[in-house]
Amino acid sequence: MLGLIIGLYTLQKKHVSFSKRVFIGLGVGIIFGIVLQLIYGTASEVVVTSVEWFNIVGSGYVSFLKMIVMPLVFISILSAFTKLKMTNNIGKISGWVLGTLIGTTAIAAVVGISSAMLFNLEAIQIEQGEAEMGRAAQLEEQVGTVENLTIPQQILSLIPTNPFLDLTGARPTSTISIVIFAAILGMAFLGVKRKEPQYAEKFADLVETFYKIIMRVVTLILRLTPYGVLALMTKVTATSDYTAIWKLGKFVLASYVALIAMFIIHLLILAIVGQNPITYVKKSFPVLAFAFTSRTSAGTLPLNIKAQTNNLGVPEGIANFAGSFGLTIGQNGCAGIYPAMLAIMIAPTVGIDIFSPSFLITLVAVVAISSFGVAGVGGGATFAALIVLSALNLPVGLAGLLISVEPLIDMGRTALNVSGSMTAGIVTSKATKELDMTIYNDQSRSVVE
């Protein structure tokens, strides 16, 4: 691993592009992990100990990214106000971001339903082993928490009651709460600027100073991306249970067919608003590759925002709104495709006709609404599935059926979530006529500039 890291560093010194180094780290990590498993096996002491050391690089990188998420969101949105961006159309921006996220999630639900039907997926086809039974028991315990939260309660949980606590990321809705808090401070700044401009100018200078420092920290961390991807991908391929993947291959295949189909829909949406989808794929690759390997939308946020602003021409304020809201609202993979597929698989076990128009319309509506409410109960595919299954009166314990292949499917889901938030940023920028086409079309720009 140390030799591979040195090899990547050598490529950096030879000025090989950032995207190519991320791709190389991804490919080499896959090969290295498979080789380790073929030689030693998944549970051998050699692999377990090695992965523990690899985590210093992989998990360490993810921790650095999570460290900077809250300061980045807070200062970037506040900076957008002090630079007189978003002043007159903050309502329009928020509406477009949320509308795009929730709208694409509804489409993702239809895609998930279609894939499950195409592959004739049924819950009774899966053998429940110890892992599945254990997961089912855990989900049964959690469902009470989900059922006790109404949509109004979930919306109220977004409002910051203690912004200093939220800056620590203590609550599932902390990121959205910080967005709201920063926006309130920004509007207060505009009020002071009208009445006492001398104080507003001092505040703006202070915010700009902090912004420059935070963005420099982000750049320093993002330069570690190829190494983080290498270590994370090695861990995934070295420790994956390929026997379980083989047994559940049909379900894995159906999931990835749905995920890829939805990603293509993202590209079609970009084409409809007049953007080159191929350019988007090239420029978003480092972000999506990291999201795929790390399985964390929050950890990907700094890379997401930096790519939107540096590579895709999205203004800082819109990029932060789209990236931050996309962490907990309208996740196309976790809150769209996954719950819809599970519902189609589980519904026949309680005698529901999955081809019934009323059931399908209700399912899509519940998925779309629940994608907003996931933030109130912690986010993620599991909670999204619990909300949807509970709302449809389906047995929630069966949501743990795919626990054996969950990590593999979750990789694709996370990448799609991040793509959805980036798409929302571009669409919103286009709608508000703030997208910088020069940056979007510039093939020489790097995400870590």
Side-chain angles (χ1 to χ4, degrees):
M1 174 60 76
L2 185 59
L4 295 175
I5 290 173
I6 293 172
L8 283 176
Y9 180 73
T10 303
L11 293 177
Q12 180 180 338
K13 286 296 183 183
K14 291 182 177 179
H15 304 292
V16 175
S17 73
F18 179 78
S19 295
K20 289 181 180 176
R21 285 185 282 119
V22 170
F23 185 78
I24 291 170
L26 181 68
V28 171
I30 291 172
I31 296 171
F32 185 37
I34 291 174
V35 169
L36 286 177
Q37 181 164 146
L38 289 175
I39 295 175
Y40 299 104
T42 305
S44 69
E45 185 178 352
V46 171
V47 169
V48 172
T49 305
S50 296
V51 166
E52 190 174 350
W53 282 96
F54 299 164
N55 279 340
I56 295 177
V57 179
S59 299
Y61 174 60
V62 174
S63 297
F64 275 129
L65 286 169
K66 290 181 177 180
M67 171 192 75
I68 203 67
V69 165
M70 290 303 179
L72 172 63
V73 170
F74 176 73
I75 203 67
S76 294
I77 290 179
L78 191 55
S79 175
F81 279 91
T82 60
K83 292 176 182 176
L84 292 180
K85 297 176 181 177
M86 298 171 26
T87 305
N88 299 318
N89 57 358
I90 183 171
K92 185 177 181 180
I93 289 171
S94 301
W96 270 99
V97 169
L98 291 174
T100 304
L101 288 171
I102 297 174
T104 52
T105 300
I107 296 172
V110 174
V111 172
I113 290 169
S114 302
S115 182
M117 289 181 172
L118 177 65
F119 284 86
N120 193 28
L121 299 183
E122 295 181 11
I124 57 174
Q125 296 172 350
I126 305 176
E127 295 181 11
Q128 295 195 49
E130 290 185 11
E132 287 75 19
M133 296 294 287
R135 183 59 172 161
Q138 291 177 2
L139 294 177
E140 291 287 0
E141 293 177 3
Q142 293 173 345
V143 71
T145 304
V146 176
E147 290 179 332
N148 290 333
L149 285 175
T150 64
I151 295 297
Q153 288 174 332
Q154 292 162 7
I155 294 173
L156 281 174
S157 70
L158 304 179
I159 299 175
T161 54
N162 185 345
F164 298 101
L165 177 67
D166 286 323
L167 280 169
T168 68
R171 299 190 303 146
T173 56
S174 286
T175 305
I176 303 300
S177 296
I178 288 302
V179 171
I180 295 172
F181 178 60
I184 292 172
L185 282 181
M187 288 185 282
F189 163 81
L190 296 177
V192 173
K193 186 177 181 180
R194 285 193 299 270
K195 297 181 178 181
E196 299 176 287
Q198 70 274 22
Y199 296 113
E201 185 177 349
K202 292 178 182 178
F203 181 76
D205 289 340
L206 181 64
V207 170
E208 183 64 15
T209 300
F210 276 104
Y211 175 77
K212 292 293 184 184
I213 294 174
I214 292 297
M215 292 310 294
R216 185 58 185 170
V217 172
V218 170
T219 300
L220 291 174
I221 295 173
L222 293 185
R223 287 178 177 172
L224 302 174
T225 302
Y227 312 104
V229 168
L230 167 67
L232 289 167
M233 204 66 236
T234 301
K235 175 184 176 181
V236 169
T237 52
T239 58
S240 292
D241 185 351
Y242 293 104
T243 302
I245 293 173
W246 177 258
K247 288 181 179 178
L248 296 173
K250 181 180 179 181
F251 300 91
V252 175
L253 178 61
S255 296
Y256 272 91
V257 165
L259 292 169
I260 293 170
M262 191 60 208
F263 181 67
I264 293 173
I265 290 174
H266 287 170
L267 301 184
L268 290 175
I269 291 172
L270 294 177
I272 290 171
V273 299
Q275 301 308 116
N276 188 330
I278 297 176
T279 300
Y280 169 76
V281 172
K282 290 179 179 177
K283 293 192 168 189
S284 65
F285 174 78
V287 184
L288 301 182
F290 176 71
F292 184 83
T293 54
S294 66
R295 296 169 54 203
T296 165
S297 296
T300 310
L301 183 62
L303 194 61
N304 179 346
I305 293 173
K306 193 80 169 179
Q308 287 192 57
T309 54
N310 266 30
N311 280 22
L312 300 169
V314 177
E316 294 158 1
I318 294 177
N320 275 278
F321 264 70
S324 302
F325 279 122
L327 289 183
T328 49
I329 295 174
Q331 294 190 337
N332 290 185
C334 289
I337 288 176
Y338 184 66
M341 291 185 70
L342 277 181
I344 292 297
M345 292 169 57
I346 295 171
T349 64
V350 292
I352 294 176
D353 178 12
I354 60 173
F355 296 100
S356 167
S358 60
F359 172 72
L360 294 176
I361 293 172
T362 302
L363 174 56
V364 173
V366 169
V367 168
I369 295 172
S370 298
S371 72
F372 191 93
V374 167
V377 291
T382 300
F383 279 112
L386 289 179
I387 293 173
V388 171
L389 296 178
S390 297
L392 297 172
N393 293 317
L394 296 175
V396 297
L398 294 177
L401 287 173
L402 301 178
I403 187 65
S404 299
V405 292
E406 186 76 8
L408 180 61
I409 298 174
D410 195 42
M411 293 165 73
R413 288 197 307 242
T414 306
L416 186 67
N417 292 343
V418 173
S419 177
S421 71
M422 296 177 76
T423 300
I426 295 171
V427 170
T428 301
S429 301
K430 192 73 174 181
T432 57
K433 299 180 180 179
E434 295 186 56
L435 187 67
D436 191 327
M437 292 301 298
T438 303
I439 294 177
Y440 188 93
N441 294 319
D442 186 355
Q443 300 293 334
S444 64
R445 295 181 69 86
S446 169
V447 73
V448 292
E449 282 183 354

